[in-house]
Every structure is written in C-alpha cells, then in structure tokens.
Amino acid sequence: MTTDSSHASPLAPEWLALPEDLNALQSPMWAAGVEKNDAGEVAIDGISVKELKEQFGTPLFVMSESDFRSRARAFKDAFDAAFADICGGVDVYYAGKSFLCTAVASWVAEEGLRLDTCSGGELAVAARAGIEGRNLGLHGNNKSDAEINRALDMHVGRIVVDSLDELERVAKIASSRGETAKVMLRLTPGVHAHTHEFIATAHEDQKFGLSMAEDSTEEAGLSAAEEAVAAATSYSSIELLGLHCHIGSQIFEPDGFAVAGEKLLRFLSAMQSKYSIVLPELDLGGGYGIAYTPVDTPRPPAEIAQAMAAVVRSTCAELGIAAPRISIEPGRAIVGSTTFTLYEVGTLKTVRVDAPGGDAEQENVTYPRRYVSVDGGMSDNARPVLYDADYSAILASRSSTAAPQLSRVVGKHCESGDIVVRDVYLPADVAAGDLLAVPGTGAYCWALSSNYNYLARPGVVAVRDGAARLIVRGETEEDLLNRDMGVANV
Ligand SMILES: *Cc1c(COP(=O)(O)O)cnc(C)c1O
C-alpha cells in the first residue's frame, strides 16, 4: 500500500509517525496471540473480531487469558531471579484495582502471585474467588471500620496503613477483637516518577501516605513516618511488618524506583537501630509502564528487576543490614496489554482545521481531520478524559489499501471531550459498520467504566486455547433500570 509522505497531516502530534503499513499490528501494543488472519481481520487465538462481535456484540473488552498469565509469571520469575540471593525472592501483588473479577483473581493465585485490594468490594471479589487471606493486602487512604473488620475477618496478610489516624483506628479495632493486625506503613518518599523522568521533593502535598520530611509533624525533627513507626511499635495489637511506597504510574525508567527504594532502606535501617526493632518487609509499589502507542517503549520486567535489585543489594551492604523481603504491586504492566476494546464504527464526519502554529503564509490553509464515532466512549475508557491519555487503533474487520487519513476516534456521549483515540492514521475508506480495535485497554478502562448516558457497560471476554468465554457479562437494559425504584414507590 502507499504511504506517500504527502498523506502525513500537519495536524498530527510530533510523536505520531505515518505507519509503514496501516494494516499491520504494531507490537508491543498487542497481546500475544493477536494477529491478522488470511481474510485481513484481526483475530485472537484464531477467533476473528467478526465472530466475537456476532457472539458477544460491541463494544467488547477482548482479553487474552494466556497473555495475562504469562505476563503475571514473567514479573514473578524476573523479580524472583533478580532478588534470589538478596532476600530469597519477591512477593508480587497484582494491583486488583487495574482490573478485577473472580476469574482474574483465580489466575493471579494460580500463577503464584498475591492480590492487592483497596476496598471492601475488592475484598469481596477476592473472597468469592477463594483467595486465601494471607495472600491479600488491603490499601486505601480512608478505610472504613467495616473494611478494617472485614480484612481482619479474612485474616489478610497485610493492611497497608496510610496515616497516623488510621494506625490508631486499626490498633483499636484489632485490640477490641483480641487480635493482632499485620501492618505496613505507606510512606511518601518525595520521589515522583513521570513517564520519562522523576522528580524529588522534600515535602508531599497529596492525600496518600505518611510524609518522610523531618518537619512534617508538630514535634520538630520527627517525621510523620517516624511517629507512625514509634506508635506502631507501642501498640500490642499491631504487628509492624515493614514499609511501603508507590511513586506513581506508567513509569518507564527504573531510576525513580531505585531512588525511592534507597531512601526507604535508609529510613528502615535508622528505625531498626533507634527503636530496636526488625522490619522484615519492604514494598516498592507498582507503576511499570506499558505501550499505548507505537512510541512507548516499556522495559522488560527483568531489566527493571535487576536495576532495583542492584540498589537494594548495595544499599543494604553499605548500611550493614540484612535485606528485608521485597514485594511489588504491578497492575497495568500485567493486565494492560492483554486486552483490546472492539468497537463498531457509526457516524463519520470531516472537519477542516487551521494550520497549526499560526504561520502567516499559511493563514488560509486548512487541513482535514476526520471524526470516527464508535459505539462506546468515555463510559468504557475514561482515561483520555481523566489523564489526556493517548491510545492507538486499527481497522480490525478487514484490510484496506486506502490512503492513511488523520482521524480522531470519538465516543457517543454528550460530551465533546469524549475521545477514545485523539490522533491516529486510519485508512481513508473506514465506513459505518467497520470494526475498530483499540489495544492496551486492560487496565483502568473496565475498572473505571460508568453508565453515563445510560450506556450499558461492556462485557469482558477471555480467550484461551482458541475458545472465547465471558468472564464478566455486559450489562443489559434491565441492569440499567434495576436500581431505579420506580414511579409507584413515592
Ligand atoms: C495503583 C497502585 C498500584 C498499581 O499501579 P500500576 O500503575 O497499575 O502498576 C500499586 N500500588 C498502589 C499502592 C497503587 O495505588
């Protein structure tokens, strides 16, 4: 096909290159097992998107179970290998908030991972999936008493305490039950990782965690983090397992994890000496980045693991302490790329847009941007609206030899910000009834989905060994009306 550079649009962002082949699936955005079949359709494990649409409708989340399992295992294996001689391996907690249902929870357990939850509802999913309490963690900056009680009922392996206030509440509740709560303290090390850089600040201005800044409490010289360590060791109903931090999300460079890890180890060592305690565990959180567009370059788990292991090894040696047991909490990096969203194209329109940059000579020059509307939108993917997130898309139901045209894939909601893919080249002959596939929608899409405009939330299909099955069914009109108490009820 032609990819004449004259088809490149000046409206496209700098990072978006004209693809060499509009019909090709660009790795690493796609799950293993997704390919173009002989008919030119996107297929997963041999099942074409047309078959999926016929059986399950659109929009639809289409997930590769085998890809999920192998990504989960890859993290576990890579970190176990890198940390084997440091602390005997790593506990990997899958961050359930990225996407959770009972099937996924059971895969996580079967692959030897643990599960991170952050609400009573997520604990309920874990319970229904039969996950053992000792393999669960509970997060959250505002856990209710009911959630703390539920965690204790389920004997969760760790409650990650977020504040001094909460520490006291957990201690009281555990004490009133005559039990001991296993607790980690979530600290904010002042390290913030962004996609391509990290910044370090002394003070934290966010709702999560206990500040490590030395003037973060009224009592001069004592950080909130240290005050919490001191308090935790004084409560007989608290067993302090160790420290935790989570520096951000969609991070590619391992430097931020390394800086935070070193800072927490120094603090851990200081606390062990000062309070004559042993803090046997250290959690370095999640946040590993994935490819949403062709320019994203995620690191293999082994590379991240080795960078983190090097810092833990050298810092512990320098401090002369035994390394704590390390744990991590990847969500997006396990589930994100396992899934694509399948949409059907409806309305199309092309607008003319002024040349970018306000070039005087080009004053009267305009360029076309085509709006391609699909049958979902911000209700099944809120990330573009929430975070300005970029995605990619491909014509999935056929191949095309048409020229590339700069397109914007939008949803069907009453909101002009309802964008699914802000900028993508699609074949110029995309028409109503075509199917589009958007890769990288496994994390924080279904999880953040809504019923805005009374759209039914899509189902999730898992494909394995050439068979597709629903792991979460899509909503029906009856579901949408289920909670409405009706006019007769006033
Ligand atoms: C969100 C979150 C994670 C997972 O983040 P990912 O970017 O999905 O890896 C891990 N730990 C904590 C505490 C979180 O809040």
Side-chain angles (χ1 to χ4, degrees):
M1 61 155 293
T2 48
T3 53
D4 181 345
S5 66
S6 66
H7 294 298
S9 170
L11 301 179
E14 237 168 72
W15 60 264
L16 183 67
L18 202 57
E20 272 175 31
D21 179 0
L22 279 183
N23 295 302
L25 295 161
Q26 289 177 278
S27 62
M29 297 187 293
W30 296 88
V34 178
E35 45 195 21
K36 279 281 190 123
N37 66 17
D38 295 340
E41 301 160 57
V42 171
I44 172 166
D45 259 18
I47 307 172
S48 78
V49 292
K50 280 187 185 158
E51 292 170 69
L52 290 168
K53 185 213 151 61
E54 230 156 76
Q55 197 177 348
F56 304 105
T58 55
L60 183 68
F61 290 104
V62 182
M63 180 182 210
S64 165
E65 176 181 342
S66 23
D67 196 48
F68 182 98
R69 287 176 180 273
S70 68
R71 286 175 200 269
R73 229 169 20 240
F75 262 96
K76 177 73 178 138
D77 290 350
F79 275 79
D80 269 349
F83 283 87
D85 65 328
I86 299 174
C87 53
V90 167
D91 299 316
V92 180
Y93 287 76
Y94 169 67
K97 72 173 196 237
S98 58
F99 173 64
L100 189 63
C101 63
T102 53
V104 162
S106 73
W107 305 342
V108 163
E110 284 164 17
E111 298 304 332
L113 280 70
R114 300 182 181 190
L115 180 65
D116 224 3
T117 64
C118 48
S119 71
E122 289 182 3
L123 283 175
V125 178
R128 186 184 276 191
I131 310 296
E132 282 182 72
R134 66 189 172 89
N135 289 329
L136 292 172
L138 178 66
H139 270 286
N141 68 303
N142 188 22
K143 303 172 190 75
S144 66
D145 288 3
E147 286 169 327
I148 293 165
N149 272 299
R150 182 170 207 156
L152 293 171
D153 287 346
M154 289 175 72
H155 304 287
V156 304
R158 50 154 83 161
I159 297 175
V160 183
V161 165
D162 213 87
S163 64
L164 283 158
D165 193 49
E166 185 180 84
L167 182 65
E168 192 183 325
R169 257 179 335 115
V170 171
K172 261 195 199 144
I173 292 171
S175 161
S176 74
R177 297 167 59 112
E179 294 172 16
T180 307
K182 292 183 190 326
V183 159
M184 290 185 102
L185 298 173
R186 176 166 177 174
L187 311 188
T188 46
V191 175
H192 298 261
H194 296 277
T195 305
H196 296 295
E197 48 167 354
F198 71 88
I199 49 169
T201 53
H203 290 91
E204 290 284 354
D205 187 11
Q206 59 153 309
K207 72 171 183 173
F208 292 113
L210 292 146
S211 174
M212 294 176 78
E214 297 206 328
D215 57 353
S216 56
T217 56
E218 303 281 310
E219 211 171 317
L222 208 59
S223 66
E226 178 168 353
E227 204 170 287
V229 170
T233 53
S234 75
Y235 292 121
S236 58
S237 59
I238 296 282
E239 179 188 344
L240 184 57
L241 294 178
L243 309 175
H244 173 284
C245 71
H246 172 69
I247 59 170
S249 222
Q250 184 60 4
I251 300 162
F252 291 120
E253 303 298 325
D255 320 18
F257 300 115
V259 172
E262 184 184 335
K263 194 159 176 191
L264 259 75
L265 280 169
R266 291 190 187 283
F267 180 79
L268 180 142
S269 169
M271 293 301 102
Q272 292 191 149
S273 317
K274 185 161 173 187
Y275 295 93
S276 305
I277 50 172
V278 175
L279 298 172
E281 295 189 33
L282 176 64
D283 191 302
L284 297 173
Y288 316 105
I290 66 162
Y292 285 109
T293 72
V295 293
D296 292 330
T297 49
R299 304 296 174 87
E303 197 179 312
I304 307 165
Q306 281 154 18
M308 289 166 70
V311 166
V312 171
R313 185 184 289 113
S314 64
T315 309
C316 289
E318 182 202 323
L319 295 167
I321 59 169
R325 174 85 179 177
I326 299 293
S327 53
I328 56 166
E329 303 169 329
R332 183 193 317 269
I334 291 176
V335 72
S337 301
T338 66
T339 302
F340 64 84
T341 309
L342 188 63
Y343 297 104
E344 185 176 68
V345 173
T347 304
L348 294 135
K349 82 162 187 181
T350 302
V351 298
R352 305 283 318 178
V353 181
D354 291 340
D359 186 338
E361 260 179 41
Q362 301 207 329
E363 228 165 46
N364 297 317
V365 184
T366 62
Y367 295 95
R369 187 199 309 285
R370 189 171 44 162
Y371 280 83
V372 178
S373 300
V374 295
D375 52 352
M378 60 189 285
S379 54
D380 58 70
N381 189 352
R383 293 190 63 257
V385 185
L386 274 178
Y387 313 116
D388 269 335
D390 285 312
Y391 281 87
S392 187
I394 191 169
L395 172 59
S397 46
R398 61 184 173 91
S399 289
S400 167
T401 52
Q405 184 168 50
L406 184 70
S407 306
R408 180 162 288 172
V409 181
V410 296
K412 60 179 285 159
H413 293 280
C414 304
E415 192 86 42
S416 50
D418 174 26
I419 290 166
V420 179
V421 184
R422 192 175 313 275
D423 297 290
V424 63
Y425 287 105
L426 290 173
D429 64 350
V430 164
D434 280 334
L435 300 178
L436 290 190
V438 174
T441 57
Y444 306 109
C445 289
W446 186 91
L448 284 165
S449 63
S450 77
N451 288 129
Y452 184 40
N453 292 133
Y454 271 79
L455 259 65
R457 279 173 292 199
V460 184
V461 158
V463 176
R464 184 187 179 184
D465 301 332
R469 68 181 165 113
L470 278 175
I471 54 170
V472 183
R473 73 162 171 81
E475 284 174 326
T476 61
E477 202 168 286
E478 198 184 341
D479 291 323
L480 291 175
L481 290 168
N482 239 344
R483 290 177 305 146
D484 186 317
M485 300 307 284
V487 282
N489 240 345
V490 284

